[in-house]
Amino acid sequence: MSSKLLVLLLIFSLNLRGCLVLASDPDPLQDFCIPNPLFGSIKTAHLSILPCKNSDEATTNDFVFSGLKSAGNFTDTGLATIPVNPTVFPGLNTLGMSFVRADLKVDGINPPHFHPRATEIAYVVQGRIYAGFVDSGNRVFARVIEQGEVMVFPRGLVHFLMNVGKTPATIFGSLNSQNPGNQKIPSAVFGSGINEELLQKAFGLSLKQIGTMKRRFNPKT
Ligand SMILES: *[C@@H]1O[C@H](CO)[C@@H](O)[C@H](O)[C@H]1NC(C)=O
């Protein structure tokens, strides 16, 4: 059998296993696994099964990420995030974690969203932020957190942030999956193409109001 075919079979069987039983990132089988660029783009492959390059070829720079020194690009809600996962930081591959820098302008918000595959710990680097999450019984746990404080958002629960201070705010979030996923509630509901009649009935909105929401929350913009 050719080695290429073997690799394909391995990837296929690992994929099946991942779908059926894994509830969190798998434990690594080796110290690290810097993805081998010869085996294709990390953006399209299944993140946890990328073939590694020979460990002799790993360098210190594979384990350093320098892209968090300043804020990212701001959205119209006053939020700038830089998600750091193996796509931009190959050294993270197979290690079961990722992180994010989030900056909020004064009055800026991070709208309700959740990470299906990760718990998040958020550390306030600077500023005052109203932060919280909602549990599966729709109970909200929220308060203002300040510089030096940490809040945890349990896996899969809806959470949100708003800068309530007089200065810009910066948060550093750490997530226990290399591929946590980020589902934004407004986009999932109004920007995904769900039948409009269903949305009207679910939210008690007119067709015109649904149209406004759809234009606003198209996830592609
Ligand atoms: C911000 O936008 C510029 C221009 O589109 C882009 O080159 C840059 O990579 C973006 N920065 C981040 C952190 O996404």
Side-chain angles (χ1 to χ4, degrees):
M1 208 181 316
S2 78
S3 63
K4 215 169 189 178
L5 189 58
L6 266 177
V7 168
L8 279 177
L9 277 175
L10 180 70
I11 287 174
F12 182 68
S13 59
L14 285 175
N15 247 332
L16 273 183
R17 183 172 159 264
C19 292
L20 292 175
V21 296
L22 291 180
S24 62
D25 287 13
D27 277 337
L29 298 173
Q30 52 212 335
D31 290 351
F32 50 80
C33 168
I34 310 299
N36 188 333
L38 292 179
F39 285 91
S41 160
I42 192 160
K43 285 179 185 148
T44 54
H46 188 297
L47 285 167
S48 65
I49 50 147
L50 287 170
C52 323
K53 71 183 181 186
N54 188 326
S55 59
D56 293 344
E57 289 167 23
T59 68
T60 305
N61 284 345
D62 284 327
F63 302 99
V64 176
F65 180 74
S66 305
L68 286 191
K69 293 179 185 172
S70 54
N73 297 318
F74 283 91
T75 65
D76 55 10
T77 69
L79 169 73
T81 57
I82 306 178
V84 184
N85 49 51
T87 304
V88 293
F89 187 11
L92 281 180
N93 191 40
T94 71
L95 301 185
M97 51 194 309
S98 57
F99 51 97
V100 61
R101 171 177 172 152
D103 291 87
L104 290 160
K105 292 180 178 174
V106 174
D107 297 330
I109 65 161
N110 190 351
H113 66 281
F114 68 93
H115 308 291
R117 292 176 290 277
T119 290
E120 175 173 5
I121 289 212
Y123 170 80
V124 183
V125 179
Q126 60 171 354
R128 293 182 75 238
I129 293 167
Y130 171 77
F133 68 90
V134 181
D135 76 6
S136 56
N138 289 330
R139 183 170 169 208
V140 67
F141 298 80
R143 55 164 271 194
V144 174
I145 52 174
E146 302 190 331
Q147 182 171 339
E149 290 188 296
V150 163
M151 185 158 187
V152 63
F153 306 120
R155 179 162 114 181
L157 298 188
V158 172
H159 57 280
F160 45 81
L161 306 169
M162 178 165 64
N163 183 353
V164 292
K166 293 183 166 46
T167 59
T170 304
I171 273 208
F172 181 87
S174 186
L175 300 119
N176 69 333
S177 168
Q178 74 171 45
N179 185 22
N182 183 353
Q183 187 138 36
K184 300 175 177 75
I185 302 299
S187 303
V189 173
F190 295 107
S192 62
I194 296 177
N195 178 291
E196 291 182 9
E197 185 184 343
L198 185 149
L199 291 177
Q200 272 183 282
K201 290 175 176 168
F203 294 97
L205 297 174
S206 68
L207 253 189
K208 195 172 162 210
Q209 288 169 320
I210 296 287
T212 305
M213 300 295 259
K214 284 180 76 170
R215 280 190 297 281
R216 178 163 177 172
F217 295 114
N218 184 330
K220 288 169 201 83
T221 57

